[in-house]
Amino acid sequence: MVYKLHYFEGLGARVEPARILLAYGKIPYEMVEIPFEKWPEVKSKYPNEKIPVLELDGKFVPQSIAIMRYFARKLHLLGKDDWEMAQADAFVYTIEDTITALMPDMLIRKIATGQKGEYEKEAAEKLRPFLERLEKHLKTTNGENLVGNHLTWADLCVADCWKRYGVVVPNLLDDFPAVRRFSDAVYALPGVKEYSLFETPEFPTVKYIIFVFFIIGAVVLALCVLAACIVGLIKDIVEWQKLRYSQIPEDTV
């Protein structure tokens, strides 16, 4: 039994909170990445013709929040009682509110694909009211959790949302230190920290450093082999010349 997450190739966006939950819970899964150009050909196989979709044993569950909630329940992160669960749900649904606010002028697509440009100022202005409310709320808590002073799926999902917005929109969190501390605290959690370094498109540092070192090592090895071949060839030429001249009769010299 292996979970599979279906989403667009090289894109985090709506599937990323689910991957954060999986990373935190150390739940193994496979990514089924769909190239954008292939989407028209395959979308009819998915419920509602939308992704992300969770697959298990050939069965599908659509809708990003349904997927997040499924894993949150398995990890006992929904909340300790009905009231906490409702509060956590409310915070998770604010993520959808931010996406709706960014829909005009395709701002959300530009953010999701990591584009840079003049739109960043407009995006920051639309997101500011959400940040102001979150900053105010965090000052009433322990600063690291949104509900009940303990970890819930709302912490993981909301922190991921603002962490990624902050990467693409420069200085977005400068006026909101509580939000920044909150996001940093979640990303320092075991499992999430390792995932953020190696997997997420927005945090590729270690992944690419390893890749660069691999390439450098391969180039060095290739140069060493080439140098050894050249040295061997030179030795062969020298030996051949010695053999050639040793076979010349002395009386012809």
Side-chain angles (χ1 to χ4, degrees):
M1 182 179 74
V2 178
Y3 292 110
K4 296 181 180 180
L5 283 174
H6 297 244
Y7 202 55
F8 293 113
E9 184 178 36
L11 192 62
R14 290 183 182 273
V15 80
E16 199 63 21
R19 294 199 291 208
I20 293 291
L21 282 160
L22 287 161
Y24 173 76
K26 296 180 172 57
I27 299 174
Y29 68 99
E30 296 177 5
M31 277 303 303
V32 179
E33 295 189 315
I34 304 166
F36 285 102
E37 63 272 16
K38 296 290 184 181
W39 176 240
E41 301 174 20
V42 301
K43 71 176 183 177
S44 61
K45 67 178 277 191
Y46 293 105
N48 308 327
E49 296 190 348
K50 293 181 179 181
I51 46 178
V53 160
L54 173 65
E55 178 185 355
L56 181 63
D57 296 333
K59 298 177 181 179
F60 294 118
V61 172
Q63 299 293 346
S64 57
I65 292 181
I67 296 168
M68 290 185 279
R69 176 179 274 276
Y70 174 83
F71 289 117
R73 181 179 292 107
K74 283 192 166 296
L75 296 172
H76 307 290
L77 294 175
L78 290 178
K80 290 183 177 180
D81 54 40
D82 291 344
W83 185 254
E84 285 190 5
M85 291 179 189
Q87 286 182 305
D89 287 356
F91 279 109
V92 171
Y93 278 107
T94 62
I95 298 172
E96 292 299 311
D97 293 339
T98 67
I99 293 172
T100 300
L102 293 169
M103 281 297 185
D105 302 319
M106 303 303 288
L107 292 176
I108 188 62
R109 175 169 294 186
K110 294 173 182 177
I111 288 175
T113 55
Q115 297 180 38
K116 298 289 184 180
E118 296 180 356
Y119 77 90
E120 294 167 355
K121 182 178 179 181
E122 182 181 357
E125 290 175 354
K126 290 182 177 294
L127 292 173
R128 189 173 185 87
F130 298 98
L131 284 165
E132 289 174 345
R133 289 191 289 270
L134 182 57
E135 181 83 4
K136 182 179 179 180
H137 174 75
L138 285 168
K139 291 177 179 178
T140 69
T141 72
N142 62 5
E144 295 184 359
N145 303 114
L146 297 171
V147 177
N149 290 336
H150 56 82
L151 188 69
T152 67
W153 68 308
D155 298 322
L156 293 163
C157 298
V158 173
D160 169 69
C161 169
W162 291 110
K163 191 78 169 179
R164 288 186 293 121
Y165 280 155
V167 168
V168 181
V169 181
N171 308 316
L172 178 65
L173 303 181
D174 285 359
D175 294 335
F176 306 98
V179 177
R180 188 187 296 278
R181 285 193 299 271
F182 161 70
S183 295
D184 290 344
V186 170
Y187 266 79
L189 291 171
V192 179
K193 180 178 180 180
E194 292 78 9
Y195 171 80
S196 69
L197 288 172
F198 286 95
E199 298 296 337
T200 58
E202 292 83 358
F203 304 93
T205 308
V206 174
K207 183 178 178 181
Y208 285 119
I209 288 174
I210 293 173
F211 176 73
V212 168
F213 272 105
F214 174 79
I215 294 298
I216 292 173
V219 171
V220 170
L221 179 61
L223 290 174
C224 290
V225 171
L226 179 61
C229 291
I230 293 173
V231 170
L233 180 61
I234 293 173
K235 287 182 178 180
D236 289 343
I237 293 173
V238 171
E239 292 297 324
W240 178 77
Q241 290 288 359
K242 287 180 180 179
L243 179 63
R244 177 186 175 194
Y245 284 112
S246 67
Q247 294 175 345
I248 298 176
E250 293 183 359
D251 57 1
T252 62
V253 179

